Amino acid sequence: MTEYSVISDVDEFRAACAALAAGTGPVAVDVERASGFRYSQRAYLVQVFRRDAGVFLFDPPELGDFSPLQEAIGETEWVFHAASQDLPSLRELHLEPPSIFDTELASRLLGHERVGLAAVVEDTLGITLKKEHSASDWSTRPLPDSWLDYAALDVLHLIDVRDALVAELEEQEKTEFAAEEFAATLTRLPKPPREDPWRRLSGLHQVRGARNLAVARSLWQARETFAQEQDVSPGRLVPDRSLVAAVMANPQSKQALAGVKEFQGRASRTQLDRWWQAIVDGRATEELPRERVPSDTLPPPRAWSDRNPEADARLKAARPVVEAVAEELGMPTENLLTPEFLRRVAWDAPGETAEDIGAALSALGARPWQIAQTAQKIAAAFVEATQSPDTTPAPAS
């Protein structure tokens, strides 16, 4: 059985931080949230392991101020599995790593077929982990012992995995690739809020007309406000499909809304006044949403041959070239170069030289190692795509 300490008392917290500060080497860190249960993405458990210190499971709701932990481990490398998932929750606690090692990302760069934590631990160390509590409601209190055991195992082996992957990266000459990817993960800015987040309602494409869209928007906003007040995931109150069903049914009274069978969810009837008022407000508003929203999203590649034949030719020439480089390097194509980046430069045609392509890729967010591996080959593919059959020299007879 794994030994660990569950820390929810301030004095115990300071003692644990002192032990971690006295430990050696990198620090393994993981976070458990209550995604799908709570509105927020806050951390409900923070797991930390360091050699010569042990495993500690910290309870953020009870502890509050995490500055002693930042002081204890804020000058050493933090090891994660899928760091991009955990960093936002840690930053809410004012926990900021100076540098990271991401075992999932390293595994992708190394070409491992399985990159989940349990698979990576098994492949590198031969240890089997059970992952039965990954989707649990971690806001539950008290947390069951079996959940705590699971949480402790998430960090217990992470340093050993890191060491194995470091050696493998050196062997495959990908150490610098990984360093650039880790730095990009650490410094990546969060996506800006969507202008109209309500448009992400699943099934909204069925709704026609600006007035009906206004009703959908009003229902979404009412659900969002209530979900935030209750700290409950919006879909657990009333699912998206139920909100859309209410719009489509066009009820003429609160009673009629209650009679819509497809309008379901645990708060669909207990908050009926709220939903009916949202419908009334949506029908009365003078601020009607646009039915179509301009977007800089590229059309799907299947439509390129009609809408932009030159871009279509460039993409068809470059895509297999990039895939061949990825195969040669032994990694997924999407880790060599984000597919959207290739589509964007194929569509925009920033130039024909490797410097032109490299500058465009850099502006999109590609890392130097990715540009070094792909820009020249993409440029050559683009030049080849522009050569018409009429200008291709005939074979010697």
Side-chain angles (χ1 to χ4, degrees):
M1 182 176 175
T2 306
E3 292 186 5
Y4 55 84
S5 299
V6 181
I7 308 297
S8 57
D9 174 84
V10 173
D11 291 335
E12 292 176 344
F13 180 46
R14 293 190 177 278
C17 290
L20 287 166
T24 57
V27 179
V29 181
D30 190 36
V31 173
E32 303 296 348
R33 294 170 295 277
S35 303
F37 296 93
R38 296 290 183 175
Y39 181 85
S40 69
Q41 291 300 307
R42 69 178 298 185
Y44 281 96
L45 196 71
V46 176
Q47 306 102 282
V48 181
F49 167 73
R50 195 176 192 186
R51 288 173 178 153
D52 300 320
V55 177
F56 299 93
L57 310 182
F58 299 109
D59 187 346
E62 289 294 323
L63 295 171
D65 178 18
F66 266 71
S67 57
L69 181 59
Q70 179 70 35
E71 293 170 9
I73 62 174
E75 295 183 359
T76 190
E77 177 187 88
W78 297 14
V79 182
F80 296 90
H81 190 82
S84 61
Q85 298 179 21
D86 292 339
L87 286 171
S89 299
L90 290 170
R91 284 168 175 152
E92 283 189 11
L93 298 172
H94 304 291
L95 292 173
E96 184 70 48
S99 63
I100 67 170
F101 187 100
D102 188 328
T103 55
E104 189 222 28
L105 190 45
S107 298
R108 291 184 182 278
L109 295 174
L110 290 165
H112 289 199
E113 290 186 8
R114 306 183 303 161
V115 296
L117 177 59
V120 172
V121 170
E122 184 173 358
D123 292 344
T124 55
L125 306 179
I127 297 171
T128 302
L129 298 181
K130 293 182 179 180
K131 298 295 292 179
E132 66 265 46
H133 299 302
S134 58
S136 298
D137 179 3
W138 287 89
S139 66
T140 300
R141 290 296 183 275
L143 287 167
D145 288 344
S146 61
W147 295 19
L148 295 171
D149 291 343
Y150 157 87
L153 288 170
D154 271 359
V155 291
L156 179 63
H157 303 294
L158 213 50
I159 304 300
D160 290 340
V161 170
R162 170 214 180 268
D163 291 349
L165 295 178
V166 164
E168 199 173 343
L169 287 167
E170 291 176 355
E171 183 180 344
Q172 292 192 24
E173 298 183 349
K174 295 177 179 176
T175 300
E176 185 55 38
F177 296 178
E180 290 184 21
E181 290 300 299
F182 299 159
T185 299
L186 186 57
T187 58
R188 186 173 297 129
L189 296 174
K191 291 182 180 180
R194 292 174 63 97
E195 183 179 350
D196 292 327
W198 60 273
R199 291 186 185 273
R200 296 185 65 184
L201 266 175
S202 179
L204 187 66
H205 63 279
Q206 304 171 63
V207 177
R208 296 287 184 268
R211 180 59 63 190
N212 286 334
L213 287 172
V215 173
R217 177 182 62 190
S218 184
L219 280 167
W220 182 91
Q221 291 170 339
R223 185 185 65 172
E224 198 76 2
T225 299
F226 188 51
Q228 193 167 9
E229 290 173 357
Q230 300 297 311
D231 192 16
V232 175
S233 176
R236 295 182 73 82
L237 297 172
V238 181
D240 283 9
R241 65 179 181 275
S242 292
L243 295 186
V244 172
V247 177
M248 301 290 287
N250 192 27
Q252 297 304 304
S253 67
K254 183 169 63 175
Q255 290 71 27
L257 174 61
V260 177
K261 292 182 179 179
E262 295 82 3
F263 187 61
Q264 301 172 346
R266 74 189 204 192
S268 61
R269 300 305 184 273
T270 59
Q271 295 294 314
L272 193 62
D273 288 345
R274 181 185 300 270
W275 314 129
W276 176 246
Q277 186 60 50
I279 291 174
V280 171
D281 292 344
R283 289 172 177 171
T285 185
E286 296 180 2
E287 298 179 5
L288 296 178
R290 292 171 292 181
E291 293 189 54
R292 293 190 177 183
V293 180
S295 171
D296 63 353
T297 302
L298 293 175
R302 63 178 178 273
W304 286 26
S305 58
D306 292 329
R307 299 182 60 175
N308 191 338
E310 294 81 8
D312 185 55
R314 287 190 290 268
L315 183 61
K316 286 177 177 174
R319 185 185 281 158
V321 170
V322 173
E323 290 173 350
V325 176
E327 185 174 356
E328 182 180 342
L329 289 172
M331 68 176 64
T333 303
E334 61 268 24
N335 288 106
L336 171 62
L337 189 66
T338 302
E340 175 68 13
F341 294 175
L342 180 59
R343 290 193 290 267
R344 182 62 68 178
V345 294
W347 183 269
D348 293 340
E352 294 186 345
T353 69
E355 290 75 17
D356 294 333
I357 302 300
L361 289 173
S362 179
L364 290 168
R367 271 68 73 193
W369 77 269
Q370 296 175 315
I371 295 169
Q373 295 293 327
T374 62
Q376 182 64 58
K377 290 180 166 58
I378 292 171
F382 283 3
V383 170
E384 181 180 346
T386 63
Q387 296 177 345
S388 68
D390 295 337
T391 60
T392 304
S397 57

